[in-house]
Each structure stands twice: as C-alpha cells, then as structure tokens.
Amino acid sequence: MPSYWLKILLATLCAMAIASLPAAAQQPLPLKGGKAWKHKHSGIAVPAILGGAARVQGMAYAADELDVGLSYVVGDAAESMSFYVFRKTNGAVPVWFAQAQWGIENRDTFGHPAIAIAAQAFTPPNQSTASGLKAVYEPRGGAYRSTGVAMLQVGDWYVKLRASSQTRSPAGLSQWMDAALAQIQWPRKITVAPEAVPISDCPAPLSFPVAAKDAPKNGGADMMSGLLSMAAAQSKTTQTPATVAALAAVRWCRDPDLGGNTTIYRQNADSENYLLAVGDNGNGIWVGPDPGAKVIALTEKDKPAELRFAITALTATQNIGFAAQDRLPSPQRVMEIVAANRRVTAVPTWGKNKTISINSDAL
C-alpha cells in the first residue's frame, strides 16, 4: 500500500477522533501550577513533578479527557517523560504496546535503536497481575543514551509512559520509569486486567486470494450493527472468574507490518476477524463478519444467510461503519474504503448522545 493511502487513512481516523473538539486537533489541558492533575474518569492523579522532572504542558487529543497527554522535562530536555491516558475501545495492552514500540524503533531521533531490555511484563501499582509491559532501548545515533516505554490498563483506560534520557543507561532509565509510576496516585479499586504477553507473529499471515467487493446494500443490517455497537460500547462488563479467565486466554498475534505504524492484529490467530491498528493511541479498524446481518438472519430463517463483512473504525468517541464487503477484505481494500470516507453509519459511544447517524446515500 503506497504511503499516500496510509497518510490519508491516518488523517481520516484523526479527523474522526477529534470531531467533537471545538477548533483544533488538540487543546491545552487546564493545569494548576504545582498541583497534581487528576483524570476525571479513571481517578488517576499525576503530580506536577514526576521522577524529578517538571511538568511543562498537558494536551487533550480528544474531547472530554478521552485521550490526554502530560509532558515533563528536566533542564533543557536532557531528560523527558510523557504520560498518556486514552480510552480503551479495542485491542489490548500488548497491541498498543507493540504500536508504541514501532514508534520508537522507527524514529530518526533514536537512529533505529537497539533493544536493551526486551519487552517484559510487570505488575502495575495497586494491581495483582502482571498486566503491564515495558521495554527499554539504546539509541544508535543522536544525543540520547536511552529511551523506553511502559504500558498498562487501568479499568476502561490505557496508560502509557514514555521516557528518554541523554545521561541514564538503559538500566537506569528503567529504574527511573519504575520510580515515576510509583509516584502516581492510582485508583484503589481497579478491575482485574489480564496478564500481558508481548506480541508475537501469527503462525501464518492472512491471505486474500479473491478480492472483496461491496456487499449488496442492506439498511436493516447496517442499522442493527450500529445498535449492537452502541450497546456493546456502553455496557458494563460484570467481572466474574469466567470473564477473567476468558480474557486471560486471549493471545494476540501480529501479521507482517504494513508500514507507517499500521498493523494487523488477531486474537488467537483468528482467520475471520482482524484489528487494523493505526498509530499508537487507540484508533483502530475492526474487520469481520457483520453482526447485524447475523441477527437479521435469525429472524429470516426462510432466506439464505447473507454473507457480509463489516468494517468499523473505532475511535475515542464514536464507531464509524463503512461499506460492507462480500468477503473478508484485505487491509489494502479496507484502507481505500476508509480513506475515501465511504461511511454508512456513525455511532456515538461516549456521552449522552444516543443518535445513530446514517448516510442515506449508502443505504
């Protein structure tokens, strides 16, 4: 896929993610000098001084603190930390950790750094399972001596910590990151998160021997899929031993890199569904059998089931349904459809708005 399409795809998803912001792609967070900043949804409180680094700014990348970042700097940026919180709408810690790793490994600032401390699981503060992942790198060029990333889940939120230093060794940077995580005030009661396992390659990548085409239009299936999407996003998961065990049994794997930090991930090497992750802050595209068509098929048993595959962009505030396909589409086909903005439905997944928007021309 040419880089042109990847750039258009990323721009389209970013536009969806920030659609509810007043003017710009990002807005400053209101911060009080010397005071900790508290994320109003998760309860996470981050001090004004983190690991000895002073907070210099905070930014919102989506409305209502659904995707935020805080920046910390020592001196003239000899050392820096960035702390992010974004809404969990898809994937898992291993997926978004792998996306964050790609961002480090392919940044010119670090000269394609070498792994110094391989990705490993750790138990975050106030949690009982090794649900977080951390890795540290040694840059091969530039001014930095070490850089690293840690990621964890806190209830319905993902947390990412990035750190870089011109003076600390990789081992020293790892200890600095641990100290910073210990200084953050975490919620006392946190939903048990599954143990995190670093991503590995899928046993065999997906193949698409026959090109997908648009499925016949079916407004009823599109509307039903939208309703199911809204219900799933707004439902509260009851934590039981069975649900915890089910989450722990999921192992994500990765298909070959598509370039531009766009990658296919699959649960347990599933061959009918995949997540196309774009960037490293939770925006993804879920591709798989259309759930709305399945429900309608149950009520129309006298008719043959219609084969439809849904393409759904998942952002912090809404799910966007695109033109359904007659078979599992390749990622190239998906990216072209999304980049062309061939949307059918827009489903709010946050806030009081319950209105499903429908593109009448697509029905």
Side-chain angles (χ1 to χ4, degrees):
M1 172 62 58
S3 60
Y4 166 79
W5 282 114
L6 291 175
K7 291 178 181 178
I8 294 297
L9 173 66
L10 184 57
T12 302
L13 283 180
C14 287
M16 294 174 188
I18 65 173
S20 54
L21 283 177
Q26 55 189 34
Q27 299 287 321
L29 281 176
L31 302 172
K32 295 181 179 180
K35 301 292 184 179
W37 174 83
K38 186 173 184 178
H39 185 237
K40 63 182 179 181
H41 303 302
S42 67
I44 298 169
V46 193
I49 303 293
L50 186 62
R55 186 179 64 209
V56 293
Q57 70 173 0
M59 301 299 295
Y61 306 102
D64 199 20
E65 296 187 5
L66 301 185
D67 184 359
V68 298
L70 299 171
S71 298
Y72 294 81
V73 172
V74 174
D76 58 351
E79 293 185 315
S80 61
M81 277 189 177
S82 298
F83 182 87
Y84 302 93
V85 181
F86 56 95
R87 188 182 175 207
K88 179 183 181 297
T89 62
N90 65 88
V93 165
V95 168
W96 297 110
F97 179 77
Q99 290 293 102
Q101 283 188 286
W102 191 100
I104 294 174
E105 294 167 358
N106 291 274
R107 280 189 64 185
D108 293 338
T109 303
F110 304 122
H112 297 280
I115 192 74
I117 301 176
Q120 55 187 256
F122 70 95
T123 302
N126 287 6
Q127 298 196 33
S128 58
T129 58
S131 58
L133 289 172
K134 181 175 71 170
V136 180
Y137 294 82
E138 184 174 8
R140 290 172 170 162
Y144 289 95
R145 188 181 175 191
S146 58
T147 188
V149 61
M151 188 144 198
L152 59 142
Q153 180 181 332
V154 178
D156 294 327
W157 303 89
Y158 289 128
V159 172
K160 179 173 63 180
L161 178 69
R162 282 279 291 111
S164 298
S165 175
Q166 296 179 9
T167 59
R168 297 178 193 265
S169 67
L173 186 87
S174 179
Q175 294 173 354
W176 188 41
M177 294 172 70
D178 290 344
L181 289 173
Q183 291 174 0
I184 294 168
Q185 182 179 326
W186 304 95
R188 292 186 178 182
K189 293 184 179 180
I190 300 176
T191 303
V192 176
E195 293 190 359
V197 178
I199 288 285
S200 58
D201 292 339
C202 296
L206 289 173
S207 62
F208 307 90
V210 180
K213 299 179 181 179
D214 287 0
K217 294 181 178 181
N218 187 329
D222 291 327
M223 176 61 78
M224 180 59 68
S225 292
L227 290 170
L228 293 172
S229 179
M230 180 183 292
Q234 297 180 347
S235 65
K236 297 291 185 179
T237 302
T238 301
Q239 190 176 50
T240 66
T243 57
V244 173
L247 289 172
V250 172
R251 291 290 181 269
W252 288 85
C253 67
R254 171 181 52 207
D255 272 17
D257 180 19
L258 298 171
N261 209 5
T262 302
T263 307
I264 289 178
Y265 295 94
R266 294 187 277 150
Q267 294 179 323
N268 300 326
D270 187 354
S271 61
E272 287 194 337
N273 299 267
Y274 66 84
L275 174 67
L276 187 61
V278 183
D280 62 359
N281 67 332
N283 290 324
I285 303 169
W286 187 259
V287 185
D290 186 351
K294 286 185 175 182
V295 171
I296 290 179
L298 295 175
T299 64
E300 298 178 344
K301 296 182 179 180
D302 57 327
K303 297 181 180 179
E306 182 182 4
L307 190 62
R308 286 167 58 91
F309 283 80
I311 299 172
T312 308
L314 310 167
T315 74
T317 59
Q318 59 182 341
N319 293 347
I320 310 295
F322 290 86
Q325 301 297 289
D326 65 351
R327 65 189 69 242
L328 186 68
S330 69
Q332 288 79 11
R333 172 71 172 169
V334 169
M335 287 189 280
E336 290 172 359
I337 290 172
V338 175
N341 202 15
R342 296 183 57 205
R343 62 173 67 193
V344 177
T345 58
V347 180
T349 61
W350 183 265
K352 297 180 179 180
N353 181 15
K354 310 296 182 186
T355 303
I356 298 178
S357 300
I358 301 176
N359 179 4
S360 58
D361 294 336
L363 299 180

